[in-house]
Amino acid sequence: MVALRLSPLALSRSRFALSPLAETLGAVLALSRPHPAAWFADWHARRLPAFTATLDADPFATGLLGLLGATTWLPRSVAIPPPNGLRTTLADELTAVRAVPDAVFRAELELSRAHPHPRYAADHRRHRDLTWLTGRDWGARTADLLHALWSAHLAPEWPRRRAHLERDIAHRAGLLATRGWPGALDQMSRHSTWEGPDAIRFGHRPGPDRVIGDAGLLLVPVSLATGTWLCEGPAGHYAQVYPARGAAPAHAVDGPGRALERLLGTGRATLLVTLRQPATSTELAARLGQSLGTVGGHLAVLRESGLVVGTRIGRRVVYRRTERGELLAADGEGPAPGAAAD
């Protein structure tokens, strides 16, 4: 089973990142496979006709995306570590995809052929012969295809998706600050475990261990995905993609329970319940239909009471509930909307 081994320096330099390319790959995997999870079935139904039309119009797209959806080995020519951390753009990543030589591109697809996904064996057999791999400049063609899929299916939703992913990062950063890496990795995926003093394991796939270089490991959340995959760059440079908690956030706001409302007041109780998913003050104001001043006042009281804490991510301050806030809010809310079982 593959383990990621980190030196103390690599561990101290590991950090979170965002990847529009990984988000695009997650959408491709979701649309390429039948029987979507119930929590994004509506999105799947809306997007599938346009996605199918893209495949019908291009044998290269049909073969490539079909293979990606039916393998347990995403080719390193598309599974690459995001180069600019939280500021990574799709253009940054597609530049690297375009630069992949044809010989390397084909060799990576051969590896994908050799690792069929047990759930999608029929699809894998249909695409594994690579007869669709004709012409040349496959890296550039793949970059154009991924850019088109991003524009059609993800770009309009990216601000909301990005906010959701940043909330997940804030949650993990809070766990990291209070419980260390073992706590941050807890339930990151179904199989994520911390082993010994220096190893992380994300699944049961056989293979050699990877040694993370001094730059550290990048941890990249994506939505619309239930699995994980490892992105590999130059020697020692790796990124681990993992599913963000739950679906993209719903717009509806649940009300607090009466006991919590009597204790904190309606405004502060509603805000605490809303912070079941970490958010910025601007996001809270938009979601609750309140002014920034009102939300800021409520946040100040909740922070002074030790019920919420703010974490700076780039230019944003993302607020989340503390352990005390989680315990207090537990009696004031029901199950999280759209929570996904991995």
Side-chain angles (χ1 to χ4, degrees):
M1 294 184 291
V2 177
L4 308 178
R5 300 200 171 275
L6 298 88
S7 68
L9 182 58
L11 191 60
S12 68
R13 291 179 174 176
S14 294
R15 60 202 185 279
F16 293 91
L18 292 175
S19 170
L21 176 56
E23 190 75 6
T24 304
L25 291 175
V28 166
L29 298 180
L31 290 167
S32 297
R33 296 170 175 173
H35 312 302
W39 56 278
F40 69 93
D42 289 344
W43 179 91
H44 187 276
R46 291 195 310 272
R47 297 297 180 181
L48 186 60
F51 180 76
T52 302
T54 298
L55 301 188
D56 291 344
D58 183 358
F60 178 82
T62 302
L64 177 61
L65 302 185
L67 183 59
L68 295 184
T71 183
T72 60
W73 183 285
L74 289 179
R76 285 181 292 183
S77 50
V78 295
I80 58 177
N84 294 317
L86 295 171
R87 299 186 302 276
T88 297
T89 66
L90 184 65
D92 296 332
E93 298 175 293
L94 292 185
T95 296
V97 175
R98 291 182 186 280
V100 176
D102 283 355
V104 174
F105 193 93
R106 186 180 187 99
E108 285 295 322
L109 293 185
E110 295 287 356
L111 286 173
S112 296
R113 290 178 60 197
H115 294 80
H117 197 298
R119 294 183 185 176
Y120 311 109
D123 288 335
H124 190 270
R125 286 192 296 270
R126 188 161 62 249
H127 300 292
R128 67 183 180 184
D129 58 9
L130 301 187
T131 55
W132 48 270
L133 195 60
T134 59
R136 53 186 300 179
D137 297 328
W138 299 321
R141 291 166 69 183
T142 299
D144 290 341
L145 173 61
L146 292 172
H147 185 270
L149 291 170
W150 163 269
S151 300
H153 300 288
L154 297 170
E157 303 175 1
W158 180 237
R160 185 168 66 91
R161 286 178 180 244
R162 182 186 178 102
H164 171 59
L165 299 177
E166 288 177 340
R167 285 193 288 271
D168 184 86
I169 291 174
H171 170 74
R172 295 288 170 190
L175 293 177
L176 178 61
T178 57
R179 296 168 53 192
W181 279 110
L185 287 166
D186 184 38
Q187 297 182 358
M188 186 173 278
S189 76
R190 286 180 295 175
H191 307 298
S192 59
T193 57
W194 181 267
E195 298 187 354
D198 66 347
I200 307 171
R201 198 179 304 280
F202 278 88
H204 302 306
R205 191 175 72 183
D209 291 353
R210 306 296 205 278
V211 178
I212 307 302
D214 289 344
L217 177 68
L218 296 177
L219 293 164
V220 181
V222 292
S223 56
L224 292 183
T226 57
T228 66
W229 64 87
L230 186 66
C231 302
E232 185 173 350
H237 288 72
Y238 294 93
Q240 181 67 51
V241 176
Y242 69 92
R245 300 183 310 148
H251 292 293
V253 178
D254 297 332
R258 289 188 177 182
L260 186 63
E261 189 174 297
R262 287 197 300 269
L263 179 65
L264 297 178
T266 301
R268 287 188 286 275
T270 300
L271 192 148
L272 188 65
V273 169
T274 304
L275 280 175
R276 63 174 22 144
Q277 291 179 315
T280 66
S281 58
T282 301
E283 291 164 348
L284 290 168
R287 203 168 174 209
L288 296 173
Q290 298 178 358
S291 69
L292 276 174
T294 298
V295 169
H298 291 329
L299 284 171
V301 174
L302 294 175
R303 291 182 69 176
E304 291 172 1
S305 303
L307 300 178
V308 304
V309 66
T311 302
R312 180 168 292 280
I313 300 178
R315 296 181 179 179
R316 303 182 177 195
V317 176
V318 179
Y319 294 92
R320 61 176 178 82
R321 298 191 301 217
T322 63
E323 184 174 355
R324 181 187 299 177
E326 294 282 356
L327 291 173
L328 184 61
D331 293 331
E333 60 183 9
D342 191 11

